[in-house]
Amino acid sequence: MAEAEALEGMMPHSADCDMFKEPMKKRRRSYRDQQFQAFPSAEQSALKEYEKLDSRTRRVLSNTYQKMIQSVFLDDSIPSGVKYLINRLLALIEKPPLEPIYVGLLGSTGAGKSSLINALIQQAMFLPVSGESICTSCIVQVSSGCCEQYEAKIHLLSDQEWKAELKDLTMLLQRADGPRGEEVDMWARDDAAEEAAQKIQMLYGPGAQRMRYEDLLRMKPQGRIPTSRTITLKAEEAGDLSVKLDPYIRTQRSDWNGESAETQIWPLIKYVEVILPKSALIPEGVVLVDIPGTGDFNNKRDEMWKKTIDKCSVIWVISDVERVSGGKAHEDLLNESIKACQRGFCRDIALVVTKTDKLHLWEYLRERKMENQAIQSQREAVLQRNEIIKLQKNRILKEKLKRKLPADSKVLDASNLVYTVSAHEYWQQALLTEEESEVPKLREYIRKRLLDKKRRLVTKYVTEAFGLLLLTDTFNSEESLLPEHFNVGSLRRFVEEKLELLEKAIEQCFACMEQPLQAGVQGARASYRRTLRTCLVRSRGNQGFHQTLKAVCLKNGVYASRTLARIDLNGALSQPIYDQIDPVFGGIFRDGKPTGSALMLHIEAFKHSLEEKMAEIGKRNSWKYDEYKRGFLIQEISAILGGLEGHILRRKRKIYESVTSSIQNDLKPCYEEAAQITGKKACERMKDVIRRGVERQVAEGMFERAQERMWHQFRQLKHGITEKVKGSITTMLTLATPQGDGLYKELADVRREQKEMEKLHRSLREVAENVQLRRGMQDFLLRMSPSKAGPHETKL
């Protein structure tokens, strides 16, 4: 009865059962029409068909699940095979229809991230646009949903998280020399100290930056802080929500005296979620993320900064046209994006050049010595420069990606690696048409990504559901999937042999890291002193660098500011290793066309060998309903091995970061020692402590330990893969064997659901063919339509 009681918790409530009533279906159809309004008609039709397949499949699974539960509800013991079936049904029912596609806009302050998001969502001044006194101060996620109102959720740091940051901020503001309590002129020159003072002042009032940590803990912050640490704002109109949201996500100048209660708590804000009503431009399932370019001094916010970048499947590096040539900021951000390809979920990177309408015509003509006056207008000059930027930056970016990523990475096949965008011209259209502003092109890119992902997920979902419904037949009959007299032992031995081969193949796959890893360690040993000089020596001396260096030490070698470039001493010391291993590492974990050393290639080979064995068994034993049985076993193998992909993706971040984490861990004692230094010549003394600490650790094998820790992570991944495969395949074979071991159970009649699921499975091909036909017709009509004329041209 205990098992029956456990199953009772799985029973849908009566309210949930109402979801299949006709009125709800009508509301769903109405919602579906609104859900896909961001797409052209051909794409809308395709999405509606895939959505219909998904919802009908879920209905069949829910009905089957309820029948299964009712058939075993009062039983004292439930066969293990039935438990497996019920749990698999529940997991499929609860699987989300579409995991969000995160599109990260990564750029420095003033690059135009917020302006671009405003244009993409068709709300001119929704997010604050950086100016002389303001900028977006935290990560902002923007998505559309099923709500009727505009909504924002502002998530604050917990009390403990803020106390940890406050302690570091007060340590950062300790005087380098002289008595405590006096103003320090160098603060005006030291961004780290200035930012620390601004945060404390904003939250506790003028003069608070000179108080001790213990005294500040006893003070009550000026702003209103809810106990839930979440603030929810709602409005009927976008403009109204923008006004409410504005003070929370803008950072004011340090001399700004008009702070509201909302502005006063911005140092506590971790991130902001904005949910728009159903949008005709940005489809549901897409999340646009405004990501500050350098991270954050707060540990939790900085960790979230890295995780947010890593969960983005698309990263647009934003750089305005005046900084893209010769500017270092977007190069650093491109490097961070490429790292996200290695350690995270990122599959596509693009450089988005903003503010392309900004051009001084005479200067442009003079630089290019266009004496023949081929360019007659500002518009022609802007379009020409855009094409030049695309050609130049596309070549440079592709070369950079080729050095860091495998040659067959999907991102290298992208037709557009560079976009030239003008949010201003999207609204004004004084020089460029809406299409030439390239905002619609970015929207189209997002829509295609979503449509492709929906197609793949629904195809996989319907196929898996169909296989699961076939499994119910096995428990409703005495006949097993494998013949009664079949030698199961020989099949188990076959699987064990193939598992041994898989383990050896994985070892060989990982072994290709040995040479570049060793070369990287040698490079790191040879260059670490030069790296230290670059990081610790400033051309203008120590003035304005003392608190910045202290901030680096307080954060164990990493300092992220809202205004300065990110400083990562551990990353700089480990960079020679990553320069060597990046292409090989990317080759192991590639997701495109796996060749050679790719890990998934070996897992696919293992899967193929099992599929061939199942096909051989089927032919030799002339199974009744042979195709269905073989199809189920093959599909279950695919489901088991497909689940490994998520496990591998989660582990690869830990593997990739293990080198830098190891170096940071080894240098932690010297960072802690340096952070405590105060008094005269504190800056030089901190540098000496860091230099001695690095020298000592290198002599004791710091880089070799980092190498070994990466190998340890690789070994753990190999062990995890083989154990997961072994356990899951063993369970599947147990289910497939004759039912003489108590697995059999007469279940409810689900033949109706099986027939419906079979029809849905057959219709997958028909839907795919319809999509291809509509896409071809749409492309033909677009080619035949006349191009739009440009705006009125301003003559020279």
Side-chain angles (χ1 to χ4, degrees):
M1 286 302 292
E3 289 171 331
E5 288 171 9
L7 285 168
E8 186 174 13
M10 301 182 190
M11 285 285 286
H13 298 292
S14 58
D16 296 328
C17 298
D18 292 340
M19 68 187 293
F20 304 116
K21 293 183 180 178
E22 194 63 28
M24 178 60 78
K25 287 194 286 185
K26 287 180 181 177
R27 286 199 294 274
R28 277 186 170 185
R29 282 197 293 270
S30 172
Y31 166 67
R32 190 182 297 132
D33 291 339
Q34 294 175 322
Q35 185 183 11
F36 302 131
Q37 61 183 332
F39 292 85
S41 57
E43 293 177 358
Q44 277 193 32
S45 300
L47 279 165
K48 285 176 183 176
E49 288 190 33
Y50 282 123
E51 184 70 15
K52 196 183 296 182
L53 272 174
D54 184 270
S55 61
R56 287 180 176 175
T57 300
R58 289 176 186 277
R59 186 188 311 166
V60 171
L61 290 174
S62 293
N63 289 343
T64 305
Y65 176 79
Q66 290 179 43
K67 286 184 176 182
M68 293 291 109
I69 289 289
Q70 289 166 4
S71 67
V72 299
F73 184 62
L74 297 177
D75 290 4
D76 290 331
S77 64
I78 302 168
S80 58
V82 178
K83 287 182 192 173
Y84 175 87
L85 174 61
I86 288 173
N87 287 330
R88 288 276 276 112
L89 279 168
L90 186 60
L92 264 185
I93 291 166
E94 293 180 342
K95 195 173 186 178
L98 180 66
E99 293 179 358
I101 293 175
Y102 288 89
V103 180
L105 285 77
L106 185 61
S108 306
T109 298
K113 303 185 299 295
S114 299
S115 296
L116 180 54
I117 289 178
N118 289 341
L120 288 168
I121 65 176
Q122 196 75 15
Q123 299 291 341
M125 294 298 291
F126 186 71
L127 295 180
V129 177
S130 300
E132 182 185 350
S133 63
I134 50 176
C135 66
T136 310
S137 61
C138 59
I139 292 173
V140 181
Q141 299 180 359
V142 181
S143 61
S144 65
C146 57
C147 56
E148 298 298 327
Q149 289 182 307
Y150 291 85
E151 184 176 322
K153 290 186 178 179
I154 300 152
H155 301 271
L156 307 181
L157 295 170
S158 70
D159 188 50
Q160 287 303 115
E161 289 167 352
W162 168 245
K163 284 179 180 177
E165 179 176 2
L166 182 61
K167 187 172 185 178
D168 288 338
L169 293 174
T170 52
M171 286 185 68
L172 191 58
L173 290 172
Q174 286 179 0
R175 286 286 314 270
D177 52 23
R180 171 178 276 277
E182 295 181 7
E183 291 290 343
V184 182
D185 292 339
M186 77 163 75
W187 281 359
R189 294 176 176 268
D190 193 320
D191 293 270
E194 185 177 2
E195 186 176 331
Q198 187 183 358
K199 284 183 176 181
I200 294 175
Q201 244 182 317
M202 188 68 72
L203 205 58
Y204 296 104
Q209 75 274 16
R210 293 188 293 273
M211 297 179 67
R212 294 186 311 145
Y213 169 67
E214 293 77 12
D215 295 331
L216 289 171
L217 285 180
R218 289 190 285 271
M219 290 182 67
K220 186 177 180 182
Q222 293 186 122
R224 295 184 293 272
I225 303 172
T227 53
S228 65
R229 314 298 282 196
T230 300
I231 299 167
T232 301
L233 307 173
K234 293 183 180 182
E236 296 293 331
E237 300 294 333
D240 295 336
L241 182 65
S242 180
V243 170
K244 293 180 180 180
L245 184 61
D246 191 271
Y248 291 101
I249 59 176
R250 289 179 184 256
T251 304
Q252 305 289 350
R253 285 195 313 249
S254 57
D255 61 349
W256 180 261
N257 294 318
E259 292 92 352
S260 63
E262 293 86 356
T263 306
Q264 288 165 345
I265 69 165
W266 73 256
L268 295 178
I269 295 174
K270 188 186 290 187
Y271 70 101
V272 174
E273 290 179 279
V274 178
I275 304 170
L276 312 174
K278 290 173 285 291
S279 170
L281 298 168
I282 298 298
E284 186 177 345
V286 172
V287 182
L288 302 173
V289 192
D290 185 338
I291 308 174
T294 58
D296 197 275
F297 182 72
N298 177 271
N299 286 341
K300 289 293 180 181
R301 275 196 295 253
D302 197 56
E303 179 63 21
M304 185 180 176
W305 178 80
K306 287 187 283 188
K307 286 184 176 179
T308 300
I309 292 174
D310 287 349
K311 76 178 178 183
C312 291
S313 54
V314 178
I315 294 178
W316 293 339
V317 176
I318 313 296
S319 179
D320 78 55
V321 71
E322 294 180 344
R323 299 184 199 176
V324 76
S325 297
K328 187 177 181 295
H330 78 275
E331 290 294 330
D332 292 339
L333 297 176
L334 278 172
N335 290 332
E336 192 64 43
S337 303
I338 293 169
K339 286 180 182 177
C341 278
Q342 299 283 28
R343 69 182 182 231
F345 292 87
C346 181
R347 297 292 174 268
D348 280 325
I349 296 172
L351 174 63
V352 179
V353 183
T354 57
K355 307 179 186 179
T356 55
D357 56 283
K358 293 166 65 176
L359 181 142
H360 300 289
L361 183 57
W362 284 107
E363 186 179 324
Y364 176 79
L365 294 176
R366 188 176 67 251
E367 285 176 357
R368 280 152 185 78
K369 298 178 181 178
M370 293 178 174
E371 296 174 1
N372 61 0
Q373 298 296 307
I375 298 295
Q376 295 293 316
S377 69
Q378 183 93 356
R379 165 184 162 77
E380 288 178 355
V382 167
L383 290 174
Q384 184 189 67
R385 185 184 61 179
N386 286 354
E387 287 306 309
I388 292 171
I389 288 172
K390 283 182 180 179
L391 287 171
Q392 291 177 344
K393 293 300 176 182
N394 192 76
R395 176 178 53 80
I396 293 169
L397 180 53
K398 189 158 281 193
E399 287 174 357
K400 192 180 190 76
L401 291 170
K402 281 180 179 177
R403 288 196 301 270
K404 293 288 187 178
L405 301 175
D408 59 355
S409 295
K410 282 184 179 180
V411 67
L412 293 174
D413 295 332
S415 56
N416 289 316
L417 284 175
V418 181
Y419 296 86
T420 49
V421 174
S422 171
H424 179 269
E425 283 302 303
Y426 173 77
W427 298 110
Q428 301 298 324
Q429 295 180 35
L431 293 174
L432 307 176
T433 64
E434 183 177 298
E435 286 76 14
E436 288 166 343
S437 76
E438 298 205 359
V439 171
K441 188 183 285 189
L442 292 175
R443 287 199 195 114
E444 182 186 8
Y445 170 85
I446 290 170
R447 290 197 303 265
K448 284 183 177 178
R449 285 283 307 213
L450 188 72
L451 178 59
D452 182 58
K453 186 170 184 179
K454 186 71 175 177
R455 174 187 58 78
R456 286 185 285 108
L457 286 178
V458 171
T459 301
K460 184 179 178 182
Y461 190 79
V462 173
T463 303
E464 193 170 346
F466 180 49
L468 209 51
L469 264 291
L470 292 177
L471 182 58
T472 60
D473 245 359
T474 307
F475 299 111
N476 267 334
S477 70
E478 297 287 354
E479 183 187 358
S480 68
L481 288 173
L482 294 173
E484 187 176 352
H485 302 294
F486 180 76
N487 186 349
V488 180
S490 66
L491 180 57
R492 292 188 191 278
R493 282 192 298 275
F494 173 84
V495 171
E496 287 170 3
E497 288 171 6
K498 291 298 177 182
L499 270 172
E500 286 180 12
L501 290 175
L502 174 63
E503 190 169 357
K504 288 178 182 176
I506 292 173
E507 285 176 2
Q508 291 173 357
C509 174
F510 293 165
C512 63
M513 285 287 294
E514 187 171 352
Q515 189 278 327
L517 196 51
Q518 185 62 41
V521 167
Q522 291 171 0
R525 288 187 69 91
S527 64
Y528 75 90
R529 290 191 180 97
R530 184 169 63 251
T531 300
L532 282 176
R533 283 196 299 271
T534 303
C535 293
L536 298 180
V537 178
R538 292 291 187 266
S539 58
R540 63 185 183 186
N542 291 335
Q543 190 174 28
F545 186 53
H546 167 250
Q547 270 86 3
T548 298
L549 184 57
K550 176 166 275 195
V552 172
C553 296
L554 284 169
K555 296 302 178 182
N556 293 321
V558 182
Y559 173 56
S561 159
R562 290 181 295 107
T563 54
L564 296 175
R566 187 179 179 88
I567 300 173
D568 186 349
L569 187 53
N570 312 302
L573 290 167
S574 62
Q575 191 56 48
I577 298 176
Y578 287 110
D579 288 340
Q580 292 292 327
I581 70 172
D582 271 351
V584 181
F585 188 92
I588 290 173
F589 294 101
R590 63 163 60 88
D591 71 319
K593 300 159 280 190
T595 55
S597 62
L599 176 58
M600 289 309 295
L601 180 72
H602 300 297
I603 293 173
E604 284 293 320
F606 173 74
K607 182 179 85 169
H608 185 64
S609 67
L610 293 186
E611 288 173 349
E612 285 185 332
K613 188 68 174 178
M614 293 303 169
E616 177 192 326
I617 293 170
K619 288 176 183 177
R620 197 166 60 233
N621 293 279
S622 302
W623 278 344
K624 184 182 177 184
Y625 308 125
D626 172 61
E627 286 302 311
Y628 283 168
K629 289 186 171 186
R630 187 168 67 88
F632 163 71
L633 291 172
I634 289 173
Q635 184 254 305
E636 281 299 287
I637 292 168
S638 296
I640 290 165
L641 298 180
L644 284 175
E645 191 172 0
H647 172 73
I648 291 168
L649 280 172
R650 287 188 294 272
R651 292 291 308 182
K652 81 167 183 174
R653 184 186 188 215
K654 196 166 186 179
I655 296 172
Y656 190 76
E657 292 184 334
S658 61
V659 171
T660 305
S661 298
S662 175
I663 290 171
Q664 184 179 46
N665 186 63
D666 285 353
L667 294 178
K668 189 175 180 180
C670 80
Y671 290 140
E672 290 174 346
E673 182 184 347
Q676 300 299 321
I677 293 174
T678 59
K680 291 183 178 181
K681 297 185 179 180
C683 193
E684 280 303 320
R685 287 158 55 210
M686 281 194 288
K687 289 180 184 180
D688 288 341
V689 167
I690 293 170
R691 289 190 191 100
R692 288 198 306 272
V694 172
E695 289 284 357
R696 183 172 59 253
Q697 290 299 328
V698 170
E700 293 174 0
M702 178 174 75
F703 295 119
E704 289 77 8
R705 281 194 298 275
Q707 178 183 9
E708 176 51 37
R709 282 164 183 162
M710 179 171 266
W711 277 123
H712 176 69
Q713 292 295 331
F714 272 118
R715 287 193 293 269
Q716 282 197 323
L717 176 58
K718 182 196 73 173
H719 179 73
I721 290 171
T722 52
E723 287 301 306
K724 281 178 180 293
V725 170
K726 186 176 181 180
S728 300
I729 296 291
T730 300
T731 301
M732 187 204 72
L733 291 178
T734 302
L735 294 174
T737 52
Q739 308 287 8
D741 55 355
L743 290 174
Y744 169 74
K745 164 71 185 177
E746 186 173 352
L747 299 174
D749 186 358
V750 292
R751 283 175 295 182
R752 179 180 164 189
E753 284 77 12
Q754 287 170 348
K755 286 180 180 178
E756 190 174 350
M757 199 63 246
E758 188 179 342
K759 288 179 185 176
L760 291 171
H761 188 255
R762 279 202 305 264
S763 66
L764 272 176
R765 178 177 293 181
E766 183 182 338
V767 171
E769 289 171 352
N770 289 342
V771 169
Q772 287 295 109
L773 179 62
R774 290 193 192 98
R775 186 174 292 169
M777 291 170 63
Q778 180 177 287
D779 291 344
F780 174 77
L781 292 172
L782 285 172
R783 287 196 301 271
M784 297 300 292
S785 63
S787 60
K788 293 186 179 181
H792 175 70
E793 296 184 3
T794 306
K795 295 294 181 185
L796 188 66

